[in-house]
Amino acid sequence: MKTNKITEEEIQRRANEVFAALKERCNEEEMQLVQKAFNFAREAHRNQTRKSGEPYIIHPIAVALIIANELQLGVAPVCAAFLHDVVEDTPCTEETIQQEFGEDVAFLVKVVTKKKKNQYEMSKQLDNFKQMLDSMHYDIRAILLKLADRLHNMRTLESMSPAKQMKIAGETDFFYAPLANRLGLYTIKIELENLSFHYRCPQIYDRILQLIEEDKKKDDVKMAPFYTKMDDILKKNGIKYTREVLYKQPYNIWRKMVQQNVDYEHLECRHFTKIVFTSDEKMPDKNMALKIYSLLTDTFKERPSSIINYIDLPKQNGYQAFHTQLLSDYGIWEEIHIQSEKMATKTKLGYLFDSGDREIDINMWLETFRKVLRDVSHNLEYNEENKHFFIESVRSTLYNDDIQVYTPKGKAMLLPKKSTVLDFAFAISDEVGMHAKYAKINGHLASVKTILKRGDSVEVGVDENIMPQEDWRNSAKTYEALKSINIYLDHLPKPKYCRCNSCHPIPGEEVIGFKETNGTITVHRRDCTLAISLASQFGDNIVAADDFKESYDTLYPASVTLKAVDRKHLLSDIIDTISNQLHLSILSLNTKTVDEIVTTTINFTIHSYQELRTIVQNIQNIPDVDEVIYNNQ
């Protein structure tokens, strides 16, 4: 491996960049502690190198610079950044760190030090995730330190093997990038996503990057008159601002191409224009943003329904801006983002912006996140069955975007994008969620599995007889909803038998069982062609299915088709027979009349074959009904 020649002078120069970034906000004693941490780490890692051949100390210095410069954190996190690998990779102990640098620094180092175990509760990766997330119960700086560590590792991932690149890139895309997004660290989030994409899918990444560069060259000429006109309007009205055209990154482009099922050329809004204005003491930032919007729409046509007001309704991570789309001279809708300088700074620093003594502003999201983590830590039993559920449930709190919806009384509820009414119901209370029957969304009746949109007003109808169904698992998105649904469904008695997917037997029919290789018993009707075939080949696997009996708690789908002579009230007589006389729920009813002959198919649920025979007989007794046929489900 080729060794990069980095001198002691170069190492010191890079460390001085960290000291310079801290100097203005630290006193003499604090600066001495930071320099001590650097010297300690430098000596501890003296004989170590990275995969690239560089002296290992280059990595802790880079992490410390991210902490000090890009995240604007203070002394303890910077010291911990210098020291974050000494316990894991050198003979130094946690006790030594505490003695030399105090409890605060020692705690941060401890959290990011991977614990070596003979046996992991879930897996090495998942246990490390849990260790980091648990630390957020006490101090979010530990997570920021780990983000900085991961960011530099991603920036230098080219020295790793392809297998290692895929592992680290996968973790980053699945976990760290969404986490950065939820903390409002958009710059870091975007960089992590694209570095991950670059190493996971290098050919696709390079092709999209090439297309973006070609776009920039074409757009420079095409967009010039549009921006000249825009600048003239704003300058004429005395607006102090900067304007920047930002092209969406390869990962964002690729994700939208996949979501919308379009190629690059047919993807709209591949770039956007950001207008950042200087605040006016005489005018609130919101009013200034609306003034700019008004000035621009006096000249340019605005795309209907393109406004997104993130100023009044910030994203959950604090992002604020006013979005709209304007029609350019060349016939393309151009996306415009209007922000104050303060809003733009917050876009970069997220929760770290304007937070007093460098304390982190936890806000609503962080409190929600901590609550979920406490619940996960105390209530989940880690075993083979729920390893996947652990990380999925935690990741559901790190979703890439959020929506704000409302109760009928106007209370705002923040949910992951693509959440359903079920997620909303469980966010209200576990009781409402468990018995959710229907919803009214903006006054219109809807299923509890309906996906919600930003700004929806939602009312949930409940019924104490309703309980979670198996398909709720696929409809819910939030941890709270999935936890309650899974606990309920997983504690239901497991059926002893599986029904054949061909003949769909129901209790009361003549049935036979076949023992499968995994020990389960599949029940078939005795006239099932598959059962006959199995009996001829695996006769020793035939078992009795005497326990396959009617149960009040179990319903089976059934369907009948009837033919009748058309007459007045025929349909109401059919419905009355099933619903009122037999007290069964009709799932669907399709009817067609041709030349006075009515053909009707009815789908409903039953408990047993005897119940089905009773239904067929009762329908047969309806005047003018000629024939009733059971459709095998």
Side-chain angles (χ1 to χ4, degrees), residues 246-489:
L246 297 173
Y247 284 79
K248 293 180 179 178
Q249 295 297 307
Y251 178 76
N252 186 279
I253 293 286
W254 171 81
R255 185 172 59 190
K256 289 184 180 295
M257 287 167 59
V258 172
Q259 289 173 347
Q260 300 175 24
N261 194 27
V262 296
D263 61 13
Y264 181 85
E265 293 300 326
H266 292 88
L267 183 69
E268 290 188 345
C269 302
R270 299 193 293 267
H271 63 263
F272 63 92
T273 301
K274 184 165 73 170
I275 297 173
V276 180
F277 61 85
T278 302
S279 298
D280 188 332
E281 294 180 358
K282 300 178 181 179
M283 183 181 295
D285 283 350
K286 175 187 171 181
N287 291 4
M288 179 62 77
L290 291 175
K291 179 179 178 179
I292 293 172
Y293 160 76
S294 178
L295 290 170
L296 294 177
T297 52
D298 284 344
T299 300
F300 301 102
K301 185 179 290 295
E302 176 190 7
R303 189 172 193 172
S305 303
S306 67
I307 289 177
I308 305 178
N309 181 4
Y310 288 122
I311 296 178
D312 286 335
L313 293 174
K315 289 190 176 184
Q316 198 169 351
N317 52 27
Y319 172 82
Q320 287 183 293
F322 189 90
H323 292 195
T324 190
Q325 292 182 34
L326 304 177
L327 187 61
S328 63
D329 300 333
Y330 39 89
I332 299 295
W333 293 108
E334 289 291 345
E335 188 173 333
I336 311 296
H337 298 181
I338 304 171
Q339 289 182 303
S340 68
E341 292 173 344
K342 181 179 179 180
M343 294 174 193
T345 302
K346 192 168 187 177
T347 297
K348 181 179 179 181
L349 291 178
Y351 280 117
L352 311 186
F353 174 69
D354 194 22
S355 50
D357 298 324
R358 314 314 305 168
E359 292 294 328
I360 309 305
D361 179 8
I362 58 177
N363 288 331
M364 188 192 310
W365 172 77
L366 190 51
E367 280 302 313
T368 301
F369 192 21
R370 283 176 168 165
K371 177 180 180 296
V372 169
L373 293 177
R374 285 194 296 268
D375 200 36
V376 169
S377 298
H378 290 103
N379 293 309
L380 280 182
E381 295 178 358
Y382 304 116
N383 54 46
E384 289 298 324
E385 294 182 359
N386 60 27
K387 286 180 183 178
H388 181 66
F389 176 63
F390 165 76
I391 196 62
E392 283 289 350
S393 66
V394 173
R395 191 176 187 262
S396 72
T397 68
L398 308 179
Y399 40 82
N400 285 330
D401 208 347
D402 55 69
I403 58 172
Q404 194 165 47
V405 294
Y406 300 89
T407 67
K409 294 184 178 180
K411 180 182 177 182
M413 308 281 282
L414 286 161
L415 295 171
K417 192 174 182 180
K418 296 185 179 179
S419 287
T420 64
V421 173
L422 286 172
D423 297 300
F424 179 87
F426 279 101
I428 294 173
S429 74
D430 200 57
E431 184 71 16
V432 172
M434 293 293 287
H435 304 295
K437 184 175 185 178
Y438 67 90
K440 286 192 175 180
I441 303 174
N442 305 322
H444 297 281
L445 192 63
S447 160
V448 295
K449 292 180 280 188
T450 303
I451 294 175
L452 299 175
K453 301 188 296 296
R454 182 181 175 87
D456 280 343
S457 173
V458 187
E459 180 182 357
V460 180
V462 298
D463 183 337
E464 63 180 11
N465 295 314
I466 296 294
M467 296 303 291
Q469 304 297 311
E470 186 63 36
D471 60 358
W472 285 21
R473 296 188 203 255
N474 298 324
S475 297
K477 295 291 182 293
T478 61
Y479 166 73
E480 284 296 333
L482 286 170
K483 180 194 72 172
S484 298
I485 292 167
N486 285 332
I487 288 174
Y488 173 80
L489 293 175

